Amino acid sequence: MMNIDYTDIMPSVVIAHFLMQFLGRYLEIQTRHPKVFRVLKFSWLWTFMVLLLGELLNFSFFKDYFYELITIVVLYILFLAKELPVARRMMEIAFIPLAAVLFIYDFFHLLTPNFHKNNLYFFDPIRSFAIFWVIGFSFYAQRQGKRERLEKQKEEEERRLLEAKKQELEYQVAERTAELTKQKESLEEALVELKTTQTQLIQSEKMASLGELTAGIAHEIQNPLNFVNNFSEVSVELCQEITEELEKDNFDKNYIIEILTDLSQNQQKITHHGQRAASIVKGMLQHSRTSSGQKELIDINALVDEYLRLSYHGLRAKDKTFNADFKTNLDTNLPKVEVIPQDFGRVLLNIINNAFYAVQQKIKLNIQNYKPTVIIITEKIDNELIIKIQDNGSGMPENVKLKIFQPFFTTKPTGQGTGLGLSMSYDIITKGHGGTIEVESIEGESTTFTIKLPLK
């Protein structure tokens, strides 16, 4: 039986086995190419079998070119690891110099064996150095790979933490978005309700002023109607007298002419007071009608005088005991001004009502020798028409005066005011007519509202 030197085989088997195992783990062959890894896993077995077969057959090729064969296998494994460029490059740096040295070694060994034999002192150290280079650089690559894997694991952990944080933030954002959407819907509903309430309050304010206006109109319209009724009755009597006179054979012509003259005068007076009543009714209808926004040339003095009387009689209709003096100081040379009649009438009515309300409240204080008075003054200064509405009522403190034009602010008791009258008046004058409205007041003494309109 042939003697086999196992001490010469086993080192090669061990080197091949550990080298294959190292490359398999380092280049992740197990996960990427499991079939190849199963072959590498038993590298010790097929290495041992190949070398043993060579010894049995006395075939030294496998033994002589063992490192060349291992290098070819390594290069194939490196080819399989193309998905790992960094690890692959490290192994190429380790094994390509060995492959080059082995190629040179075998080249001279096969083609110039004498030259090779005479220079073994040169070729053998180079080959040994290349082998040690592979071993040393492999350990370095393993440490570097381990460090890279740790860094990769750390990055992966950070990525997972970031992903978890991202999902948590997305959940919080979605939750907050849902909450904000719900709040938005609630606010939109509240806004719709607020607009509806605001519309109702504005309509209530208009109806309140219309009610006060109607009460004043009812009183004011009574005078022209009385005149119309009285002159109508007199006219009927005159017609009867004419009829009786004409039935006489010798009627008095001059007497008939005198009766006809009186009858004509009565008709003129009926027409005049009828027009006056129609004017009052027209004003009421304009006030109650929604504003068209169209400006008209208006005699401000006539508008002021009319609304002053209507306001006073409206308050009197609600409180029969109320009495106050009202006066006007109107500039007769005022030009007609372009205003929106319905809107401007509401402004005058609101402010005059407040003036009469102020003197009414002061009357309740039973101040001796107090004479409640409301005065309206119109004048033209430079290119402005000025309307002043003065009262000697209860006045207002400074903190009230600062809020007087704010929406829903009122000094009246609950149920007697919406707090929109002066706010609407301010918007009508400033936004609708390009003017200004100011208030001056001395608490307990007087209040003056000043309206200024630009004249073209």
Side-chain angles (χ1 to χ4, degrees):
M1 186 175 180
M2 184 180 295
N3 293 325
I4 300 174
D5 188 2
Y6 291 100
T7 58
D8 196 24
I9 296 175
M10 292 310 296
S12 299
V13 172
V14 172
I15 291 172
H17 175 69
F18 281 105
L19 180 60
M20 295 300 106
Q21 294 300 307
F22 167 74
L23 289 175
R25 287 191 302 271
Y26 181 73
L27 297 177
E28 300 181 8
I29 301 299
Q30 182 176 4
T31 56
R32 298 179 182 276
H33 305 281
K35 293 182 179 179
V36 176
F37 183 76
R38 281 197 292 271
V39 176
L40 296 179
K41 187 176 181 181
F42 296 97
S43 57
W44 62 273
L45 180 61
W46 56 261
T47 304
F48 178 77
M49 295 298 295
V50 167
L51 293 175
L52 181 62
L53 183 62
E55 290 289 336
L56 291 174
L57 298 176
N58 197 22
F59 186 59
S60 63
F61 176 82
F62 295 116
K63 181 179 179 181
D64 294 340
Y65 295 98
F66 174 75
Y67 290 110
E68 286 81 350
L69 295 173
I70 292 295
T71 302
I72 292 172
V73 174
V74 168
L75 292 176
Y76 173 71
I77 294 173
L78 289 176
F79 171 77
L80 295 178
K82 53 188 175 183
E83 297 93 345
L84 302 171
V86 177
R88 179 182 178 184
R89 187 165 61 251
M90 297 287 287
M91 288 297 98
E92 286 174 350
I93 294 174
F95 280 93
I96 288 179
L98 175 62
V101 168
L102 292 176
F103 174 78
I104 295 172
Y105 185 91
D106 293 337
F107 176 82
F108 285 103
H109 181 260
L110 293 174
L111 298 181
T112 58
N114 292 330
F115 177 80
H116 176 267
K117 184 176 181 181
N118 295 332
N119 292 279
L120 284 176
Y121 67 89
F122 173 74
F123 288 107
D124 285 344
I126 291 178
R127 187 172 69 167
S128 299
F129 175 78
I131 294 172
F132 283 113
W133 166 263
V134 168
I135 296 172
F137 202 86
S138 296
F139 280 112
Y140 170 77
Q142 183 180 20
R143 291 181 62 187
Q144 188 69 19
K146 184 178 180 180
R147 187 180 299 111
E148 290 177 356
R149 282 194 298 273
L150 290 175
E151 291 178 355
K152 186 176 180 181
Q153 291 175 358
K154 184 178 178 181
E155 291 176 358
E156 185 66 21
E157 184 66 23
E158 290 178 352
R159 188 190 67 78
R160 284 198 298 268
L161 290 174
L162 288 174
E163 188 67 25
K165 188 67 176 176
K166 177 184 175 183
Q167 292 178 355
E168 182 181 355
L169 289 174
E170 287 177 350
Y171 174 77
Q172 292 177 353
V173 168
E175 189 177 37
R176 184 60 178 163
T177 302
E179 183 180 348
L180 290 174
T181 302
K182 186 176 180 180
Q183 290 179 355
K184 177 189 174 186
E185 292 174 352
S186 299
L187 288 174
E188 287 177 346
E189 291 177 1
L191 181 60
V192 171
E193 292 179 2
L194 183 60
K195 287 182 177 179
T196 303
T197 304
Q198 184 183 27
T199 303
Q200 291 173 350
L201 285 171
I202 291 173
Q203 188 63 27
S204 175
E205 177 66 27
K206 290 181 179 180
M207 293 305 295
S209 62
L210 178 60
E212 294 173 353
L213 180 65
T214 303
I217 286 173
H219 186 280
E220 187 72 9
I221 205 173
Q222 192 65 44
N223 289 330
L225 287 178
N226 287 338
F227 279 110
V228 169
N229 290 334
N230 291 335
F231 285 116
S232 295
E233 291 176 2
V234 173
S235 297
V236 171
E237 292 175 359
L238 291 175
C239 287
Q240 291 176 351
E241 290 182 13
I242 291 175
T243 302
E244 292 174 358
E245 186 65 27
L246 289 174
E247 288 177 352
K248 297 177 181 180
D249 294 334
N250 297 317
F251 57 83
D252 188 346
K253 184 179 179 180
N254 292 329
Y255 178 63
I256 292 176
I257 292 174
E258 183 181 344
I259 293 175
L260 289 175
T261 301
D262 293 339
L263 186 61
S264 175
Q265 291 175 354
N266 287 350
Q267 295 302 317
Q268 290 176 0
K269 290 177 181 179
I270 289 172
T271 301
H272 170 74
H273 290 290
Q275 289 175 348
R276 169 63 181 156
S279 175
I280 294 171
V281 172
K282 181 182 178 183
M284 180 182 69
L285 293 175
Q286 285 181 336
H287 186 86
S288 62
R289 191 181 300 124
T290 302
S291 173
S292 64
Q294 295 296 324
K295 292 184 178 181
E296 301 175 18
L297 281 173
I298 296 296
D299 182 353
I300 289 294
N301 286 339
L303 201 65
V304 166
D305 183 69
E306 181 177 353
Y307 277 94
L308 176 61
R309 296 177 186 278
L310 294 176
S311 175
Y312 176 73
H313 292 306
L315 193 55
R316 282 271 299 164
K318 292 193 294 184
D319 183 3
K320 301 295 184 182
T321 64
F322 174 69
N323 282 293
D325 188 16
F326 56 89
K327 302 176 183 178
T328 56
N329 184 4
L330 309 178
D331 186 348
T332 56
N333 295 321
L334 287 182
K336 289 187 176 182
V337 184
E338 280 193 347
V339 296
I340 304 171
Q342 302 95 317
D343 291 351
F344 201 79
R346 289 193 182 102
V347 173
L348 293 174
L349 194 64
N350 281 326
I351 298 176
I352 297 171
N353 283 344
N354 285 341
F356 279 123
Y357 178 82
V359 299
Q360 184 187 39
Q361 296 304 306
K362 194 169 181 179
I363 290 172
K364 296 178 181 179
L365 300 177
N366 295 321
I367 299 174
Q368 190 175 4
N369 298 324
Y370 173 63
K371 295 181 179 180
T373 307
V374 174
I375 303 174
I376 299 184
I377 301 170
T378 61
E379 57 184 340
K380 176 180 176 295
I381 299 178
D382 296 332
N383 288 323
E384 286 185 326
L385 184 145
I386 298 174
I387 304 171
K388 292 184 179 181
I389 303 171
Q390 302 175 345
D391 68 75
N392 61 346
S394 54
M396 64 184 80
E398 188 66 25
N399 63 325
V400 172
K401 189 174 73 172
L402 293 174
K403 302 177 184 177
I404 199 68
F405 294 115
Q406 290 182 6
F408 308 110
F409 178 79
T410 179
T411 58
K412 295 178 181 179
T414 304
Q416 293 189 23
T418 62
L420 288 173
L422 289 177
S423 172
M424 290 171 57
S425 300
Y426 183 85
D427 288 342
I428 290 170
I429 295 299
T430 58
K431 298 178 182 178
H433 294 81
T436 61
I437 180 170
E438 301 170 354
V439 59
E440 296 178 2
S441 184
I442 301 174
E443 188 175 4
E445 294 186 17
S446 64
T447 299
T448 301
F449 281 88
T450 302
I451 300 172
K452 296 180 181 180
L453 296 178
L455 293 174
K456 294 183 180 179

